[in-house]
Amino acid sequence: MMKRNTIQRTLVLQAVQRLQCHATAEEVYETIVQEHPHISRATVYRNLRSLAQDGEIRRMEIPGAADRFDHQCHEHCHVKCEKCGRVFDVDMENITGLEKNIRDAHGFAFTGYEILFCGVCPDCQAQNR
């Protein structure tokens, strides 16, 4: 089935690509609504879900926080600041085959994994000095 490439879908994709900050759905909406005040929050959220399902952007589930959307779809690691909650890419070689080290899979058929490091970003470190 061919997906319609609507104007709204294009606006959402462009916003994620322009932001390049692992934005939340709300941040994407706030960016778009500045130039397109009639777009609805539901439309932005629906298009984010659809773009992620189609592999055009990457949806990141962050434990205890809002999902974030990444313009880079290739496998890579992230770090979340424990103070401000922002998410950044980690520049390192991608680790493959981690699932081979699992002793008890509890019946799961693994489809992948995401590595999320924790730390304090430079901005938050500077505020604490």
Side-chain angles (χ1 to χ4, degrees), residues 44-108:
V44 171
Y45 282 49
R46 183 176 60 252
N47 279 286
L48 282 167
R49 266 195 315 277
S50 175
L51 286 162
Q53 285 171 344
D54 294 347
E56 293 187 58
I57 60 175
R58 183 178 186 160
R59 178 175 159 227
M60 299 170 49
E61 293 182 43
I62 308 291
D67 289 354
R68 293 181 172 268
F69 296 88
D70 193 347
H71 68 288
Q72 295 187 65
C73 294
H74 68 277
E75 293 294 324
H76 60 286
C77 300
H78 296 96
V79 59
K80 179 183 173 205
C81 178
E82 296 169 340
K83 301 274 187 215
C84 67
R86 290 184 300 164
V87 176
F88 304 86
D89 290 330
V90 173
D91 185 11
M92 65 181 279
E93 214 169 290
N94 192 44
I95 302 166
T96 59
L98 264 182
E99 67 279 0
K100 294 180 181 98
N101 296 321
I102 297 170
R103 288 188 194 87
D104 183 355
H106 300 285
F108 277 84

Side-chain angles (χ1 to χ4, degrees), residues 83-84 86 121-129:
K83 301 274 187 215
C84 67
R86 290 184 300 164
C121 74
D123 290 347
C124 290
Q125 289 177 52
Q127 286 176 4
N128 287 344
R129 287 195 186 109

Side-chain angles (χ1 to χ4, degrees), residues 104-119:
D104 183 355
H106 300 285
F108 277 84
F110 292 99
T111 57
Y113 51 86
E114 291 189 24
I115 297 175
L116 179 66
F117 292 96
C118 301

Side-chain angles (χ1 to χ4, degrees), residues 12 15-16 19 21-33 39-49 57-60 65-70:
V12 171
V16 172
L19 285 167
C21 68
H22 307 90
T24 63
E26 188 61 24
E27 289 167 340
V28 174
Y29 169 74
E30 290 296 335
T31 298
I32 296 169
V33 83
I39 196 164
S40 75
R41 189 176 265 107
T43 296
V44 171
Y45 282 49
R46 183 176 60 252
N47 279 286
L48 282 167
R49 266 195 315 277
I57 60 175
R58 183 178 186 160
R59 178 175 159 227
M60 299 170 49
D67 289 354
R68 293 181 172 268
F69 296 88
D70 193 347

